[in-house]
Amino acid sequence: MPVQEPSLWTEEQGVAIEAMRRDMQRLQQEHEAALEEHKQALLRCQDEIQTLHESIVELQQIIAKIIPSSNISLSAASSSESCSMTTNIESNPSRTSNTPQQHTKRKRVTLEPARFGDAFCTQEQSLKSPESVAILHSNILRSFNAQSHKLRSQQVYVYTSLPDYNSIRLLELVGGPDFAPLQCKLVVSRLIVDQSYQALSYAWGETAKTHHITIGGKRLPISANLDRALRRVRRTEQDLYLWVDAICINQDDAIEKEYQISLMLQIYRSARRVVVYLGEQSDHSELLPEFFDTTIRARRVFNSLDNGEEGLDHEDLNRSIGILREIGEPTSNNKMWRAARAFYDRPWIMRVWIVQEVVAANELIFLCGGWELPGTVVYDSVIASTCHPQLCPFGNFVDRRANNQVNGLMQLFRIMNARSVKLAGRTELLDLLYLTHGCKETDLRDHVFAVLGMAQEATQPSLRPNYREHWQETYLRYTECLIKAGSGLRALYRSSADSASPYKQSSQIPSWVPDFSFGAKLIRFANEHNEVHGETAAGGNDAPLLRINMALRSLTVQATKLDSIQSLSPSQVKQQISDHYAQILQWRTELEELWPATQYPPAKEMQDTICRVMLCHQEPPDLEMCRLMIWSDDSSEFDRSIDRKRLVWEIVQLSTPHRRCVTSTGLLGQVPSLAQEGDVIVIPTGSAVPFVLRPRQAQYQLIGQAYIHGVMMGEALQFNHLFKEEIELI
């Protein structure tokens, strides 16, 4: 009897091997793409050199045209050691061109090689004669040709590998005037505490490297903004040691980037100080120091008045109030307010890497245009603008809009506050990702790599930065680590905030994997920052059960199927209603129209139920005031109160990203704006809130969180017709 040949691989192993094969193919394609990119870069360099040469020729022609018509013949060669020029000059300039006999003399002028700066005439030089103009032209020609030849012949700087994983490079910036070329040295140093270098924090800006520094006679291309930053911090006569990420890390070496990024928190901690370069003067930025000083002094006065303190400095009080009256209301067009609004729109503020750069700094200095201020001044002004509507450049809470400037103010507040409480090293990764939501970066992987060094999980090998994998694989790998570490539900809370992500809409990442680059507003029912509004417990207190399958890119969750969506309010209008009270009235009307299909008690409890649905189970300090605002048709009595305006703002923030719904069994609630009729509502075991899922054959797509009135405290677990089952998310 023949022996049956055993199967070499189990089905699961076969799937894993197939996934590995696909990964190898993808890596091969990425390698080939990288080689092609380098080839194209070399071709672009050749094109730039050719363009420079053509520009020089064109410049020669232009200068020749502007020289007076005196029959000047010029010849110059970039390779010559001297430049010859022959000029025909009239012996008698007073003669007209009609003179039949014209005597001329030829004068040959030989010029010695000149430096670039000598090509331009001094104040003592005279350009009255054609000969002097011709000499100047020849000098300019020589200088441009010499510089062009030098540029073509100068080699590009090539990095040498660092000796070990604890070594870093420091940039020695040679002193010089503003207009002088940037001469530098790169020195290798051991990373130790309290070094004498300074760390530069700046926005990378344009990706094109149109400028360069010189290191040992070799060129290293840099961006225009980095060129401006280095010139701003350079000293005239003294060298300066800096750590600059774009220069001190070999950006073309993926392996070096990975371990250097792991050291960045320590690099910024070890620096004597961190210098923040915000950019050049623009939008009346020269007025910002006065604005910061005004808001700080005014806040001190406002706090004293709020606390009822005695012995106030009335002179300071009158001066602060006088300055505020002089510059007008925050929404005015005064230059100082405009400067403040533009300040919070600076690219540096929303850069994800600045979080650890600011948090780790021993001393923080801000540079903008010609002014320099300590970080404490900027922080105190940010606190004033966020705590007092009178000092906010965007007006009171109700008048604020979700634009880049407001986001910049709030982001800078969060970052500076994290610095004040020494956040680094004591915070979980998901909390840090909450801190940086909405930040921007050109490489999608940097949204997690940029904060990893500050996280408690920073030393875990499975979270190590890897620039050799695609960003989708990075997000999937990090989510897997979070789930295995027991933070699976928190990862789902985060993931449900970005269902509108274009990468999820195009299925580039699974619906249950957070898009850490997505800048949408965070969810309001529960979030990954360990905050559950109203302390809900829809899924009970049992431990969640989640199982991930990396080969199939799926997540199996134990959950209770609660219901399905039967009716929805209209989708969000593209143009938001500017009157927040009118917006609240519209949402109240939508819930009233859905009410007849609900299973709740008679209309006497309708007002209370609708009020709680709009508040999403939150317990505001004054619940009765919220009821009055929601059910009042006359908002004029609330317009004068800042505290009541804050309540209105909170209600608007809760309801804006959602649609009102009624389920097939008559439950009222709020669901994500992307929800559709027929979507399923489930409650994962141990979850604080229900989730909306969309059936995809035997699997489901995660749409987002939901508030369903009457089940938020675990009531659904007592329903006899419901049971727990495993649901597969894709």
Side-chain angles (χ1 to χ4, degrees):
M1 181 176 179
V3 178
Q4 185 177 3
E5 184 177 352
S7 175
L8 293 177
W9 310 108
T10 65
E11 182 178 354
E12 184 175 353
Q13 289 174 327
V15 171
I17 291 173
E18 178 62 22
M20 292 174 61
R21 185 185 65 80
R22 290 196 301 268
D23 289 343
M24 291 294 294
Q25 291 178 344
R26 178 177 53 78
L27 290 172
Q28 178 67 23
Q29 293 172 354
E30 291 178 356
H31 177 68
E32 294 174 353
L35 289 178
E36 180 64 24
E37 184 177 350
H38 284 299
K39 185 188 298 183
Q40 294 300 323
L42 289 175
L43 292 175
R44 286 194 298 270
C45 288
Q46 293 176 357
D47 291 341
E48 290 175 1
I49 293 173
Q50 179 63 28
T51 302
L52 179 61
H53 177 71
E54 292 172 356
S55 299
I56 293 171
V57 173
E58 184 179 354
L59 180 63
Q60 294 173 357
Q61 296 171 353
I62 293 173
I63 295 178
K65 288 180 181 179
I66 65 174
I67 295 178
S69 56
S70 53
N71 192 21
I72 301 175
S73 62
L74 304 168
S75 64
S78 60
S79 59
S80 303
E81 292 298 323
S82 63
C83 180
S84 298
M85 178 185 64
T86 303
T87 310
N88 289 338
I89 303 177
E90 296 178 354
S91 60
N92 188 356
S94 63
R95 284 188 175 184
T96 64
S97 59
N98 295 327
T99 304
Q101 293 182 352
Q102 200 172 40
H103 301 281
T104 61
K105 60 180 179 180
R106 301 183 64 83
K107 180 176 181 180
R108 186 174 184 83
V109 181
T110 303
L111 303 175
E112 294 299 323
R115 296 176 303 170
F116 181 76
D118 297 333
F120 301 97
C121 62
T122 62
Q123 294 180 355
E124 291 77 20
Q125 285 180 296
S126 173
L127 298 180
K128 294 181 179 180
S129 68
E131 181 180 359
S132 62
V133 174
I135 293 174
L136 172 62
H137 168 260
S138 180
N139 281 340
I140 294 175
L141 263 180
R142 177 191 300 279
S143 300
F144 272 101
N145 284 331
Q147 291 298 313
S148 175
H149 178 72
K150 181 179 180 181
L151 192 64
R152 289 194 299 268
S153 61
Q154 195 176 41
Q155 295 181 351
V156 176
Y157 180 79
V158 178
Y159 286 90
T160 57
S161 300
L162 290 169
D164 54 61
Y165 287 172
N166 290 318
S167 296
I168 64 172
R169 299 183 187 91
L170 292 178
L171 180 71
E172 183 180 351
L173 182 59
V174 179
D178 291 341
F179 58 84
L182 292 170
Q183 301 289 339
C184 307
K185 299 176 184 177
L186 273 181
V187 296
V188 177
S189 173
R190 297 286 294 179
L191 185 58
I192 58 175
V193 180
D194 296 331
Q195 294 211 26
S196 59
Y197 66 90
Q198 301 179 43
L200 184 64
S201 178
Y202 66 104
W204 277 36
E206 314 89 350
T207 56
K209 296 181 178 181
T210 57
H211 294 65
H212 73 275
I213 61 174
T214 302
I215 304 176
K218 298 181 180 180
R219 299 168 58 248
L220 180 66
I222 60 173
S223 67
N225 197 49
L226 180 53
D227 179 86
R228 290 188 290 266
L230 292 176
R231 293 181 185 279
R232 177 64 176 82
V233 302
R234 179 171 58 177
R235 299 168 180 168
T236 304
E237 298 179 352
Q238 187 178 3
D239 295 352
L240 181 67
Y241 284 93
L242 296 169
W243 190 88
V244 185
D245 54 0
I247 297 175
C248 297
I249 298 177
N250 183 359
Q251 300 295 324
D252 295 326
D253 187 337
I255 296 178
E256 179 179 304
K257 281 177 64 177
E258 291 163 11
Y259 72 77
Q260 284 285 292
I261 282 174
S262 302
L263 297 174
M264 280 183 65
L265 182 70
Q266 190 175 353
I267 290 172
Y268 278 90
R269 274 180 172 168
S270 300
R272 180 168 61 85
R273 68 177 187 175
V274 173
V275 179
V276 175
Y277 175 72
L278 295 171
E280 294 303 298
Q281 178 177 312
S282 63
D283 301 308
H284 307 291
S285 59
E286 70 279 3
L287 301 176
L288 286 172
E290 182 182 354
F291 170 79
F292 294 149
D293 179 67
T294 300
T295 53
I296 292 171
R297 289 188 291 109
R299 176 182 178 244
R300 185 167 62 247
V301 173
F302 291 155
N303 288 345
S304 300
L305 292 173
D306 291 341
N307 297 331
E309 296 180 7
E310 298 181 357
L312 294 178
D313 187 342
H314 293 286
E315 181 179 349
D316 189 44
L317 171 62
N318 293 332
R319 185 181 177 192
S320 297
I321 295 177
I323 293 176
L324 289 175
R325 287 175 178 171
E326 179 183 345
I327 64 178
E329 292 294 322
T331 54
S332 70
N333 203 33
N334 181 280
K335 289 183 180 180
M336 188 179 295
W337 288 117
R338 285 158 52 193
R341 288 190 284 269
F343 170 73
Y344 293 113
D345 203 18
R346 295 253 173 180
W348 175 85
I349 293 178
M350 296 305 294
R351 182 173 176 253
V352 69
W353 284 102
I354 74 165
V355 179
Q356 71 172 350
E357 296 170 1
V358 170
V359 169
N362 292 310
E363 179 186 355
L364 198 61
I365 298 294
F366 283 83
L367 304 179
C368 182
W371 58 258
E372 174 179 327
L373 289 174
T376 52
V377 171
V378 178
Y379 178 48
D380 289 344
S381 179
V382 169
I383 292 291
S385 293
T386 53
C387 293
H388 297 281
Q390 304 95 320
L391 304 176
C392 177
F394 315 102
N396 61 44
F397 285 87
V398 177
D399 293 330
R400 296 180 187 178
R401 299 291 182 267
N403 56 37
N404 292 335
Q405 295 173 340
V406 176
N407 292 337
L409 168 63
M410 300 312 297
Q411 181 64 13
L412 190 56
F413 168 76
R414 287 190 291 264
I415 294 173
M416 298 295 282
N417 188 59
R419 166 176 164 76
S420 67
V421 298
K422 301 188 182 300
L423 185 82
R426 301 185 293 105
T427 310
E428 294 184 20
L429 178 60
L430 270 172
D431 295 329
L432 292 168
L433 293 172
Y434 167 85
L435 179 67
T436 59
H437 85 277
C439 287
K440 297 177 175 60
E441 200 52 64
T442 54
D443 191 323
L444 295 177
R445 295 167 294 192
D446 286 343
H447 285 276
V448 287
F449 295 164
V451 297
L452 179 62
M454 297 185 292
Q456 292 178 354
E457 306 95 328
T459 57
Q460 292 185 16
S462 57
L463 293 176
R464 186 173 298 152
N466 184 356
Y467 281 99
R468 292 159 290 171
E469 67 181 359
H470 200 276
W471 69 267
Q472 290 107 322
E473 302 303 322
T474 298
Y475 286 14
L476 192 62
R477 173 167 61 93
Y478 270 60
T479 305
E480 178 190 24
C481 293
L482 292 171
I483 292 173
K484 290 183 176 180
S487 299
L489 281 178
R490 296 184 63 200
L492 285 181
Y493 296 155
R494 175 63 178 85
S495 182
S496 63
D498 49 49
S499 300
S501 160
Y503 301 117
K504 288 192 174 181
Q505 295 294 301
S506 58
S507 301
Q508 294 189 48
I509 54 176
S511 64
W512 52 271
V513 173
D515 178 3
F516 299 111
S517 69
F518 193 62
K521 292 180 180 179
L522 289 183
I523 43 193
R524 292 291 176 171
F525 306 138
N527 61 44
E528 80 280 13
H529 197 46
N530 260 349
E531 295 174 347
V532 179
H533 296 293
E535 298 299 327
T536 58
N541 297 318
D542 293 342
L545 297 177
L546 299 94
R547 186 174 66 256
I548 189 171
N549 188 323
M550 290 292 285
L552 299 178
R553 296 162 66 95
S554 66
L555 177 68
T556 301
V557 181
Q558 185 189 71
T560 301
K561 284 185 180 178
L562 175 67
D563 213 339
S564 62
I565 298 176
Q566 177 176 295
S567 301
L568 281 166
S569 65
S571 58
Q572 289 295 111
V573 291
K574 294 183 179 180
Q575 185 175 4
Q576 292 187 352
I577 299 176
S578 57
D579 185 347
H580 290 76
Y581 292 106
Q583 184 74 81
I584 291 175
L585 179 61
Q586 175 185 317
W587 293 328
R588 188 195 79 190
T589 302
E590 292 174 356
L591 289 169
E592 288 181 285
E593 292 174 351
L594 293 171
W595 182 262
T598 65
Q599 64 170 4
Y600 301 110
K604 65 179 182 179
E605 296 190 15
M606 181 180 71
Q607 290 191 4
D608 180 70
T609 301
I610 289 180
C611 179
R612 290 191 175 275
V613 170
M614 292 186 68
L615 293 173
C616 301
H617 206 80
Q618 285 203 84
E619 293 290 344
D622 194 339
L623 181 60
E624 188 59 33
M625 180 58 64
C626 284
R627 283 197 186 94
L628 290 174
M629 285 191 296
I630 291 173
W631 288 99
S632 174
D633 294 326
D634 181 13
S635 63
S636 60
E637 59 181 301
F638 304 114
D639 289 338
R640 295 183 298 273
S641 171
I642 292 296
D643 290 335
R644 292 174 184 179
K645 286 183 177 182
R646 290 174 189 247
L647 288 177
V648 171
W649 178 253
E650 286 300 322
I651 295 173
V652 170
Q653 291 298 294
L654 284 168
S655 295
T656 294
H658 305 114
R659 297 171 68 183
R660 275 49 62 193
C661 80
V662 63
T663 69
S664 58
T665 59
L667 299 174
L668 200 63
Q670 295 207 62
V671 292
S673 59
L674 293 177
Q676 300 175 1
E677 294 178 358
D679 286 348
V680 177
I681 299 174
V682 305
I683 305 176
T685 302
S687 174
V689 295
F691 286 85
V692 176
L693 309 181
R694 183 160 300 154
R696 299 295 189 193
Q697 296 181 349
Q699 300 168 315
Y700 293 87
Q701 174 188 350
L702 176 63
I703 302 300
Q705 296 180 35
Y707 173 85
I708 305 298
H709 188 69
V711 301
M712 300 302 291
M713 298 306 297
E715 295 90 340
L717 302 180
Q718 308 303 320
F719 298 166
N720 294 328
H721 66 285
L722 300 180
F723 57 91
K724 296 179 180 179
E725 57 183 292
E726 290 192 344
I727 296 174
E728 187 177 12
L729 303 179
I730 57 173

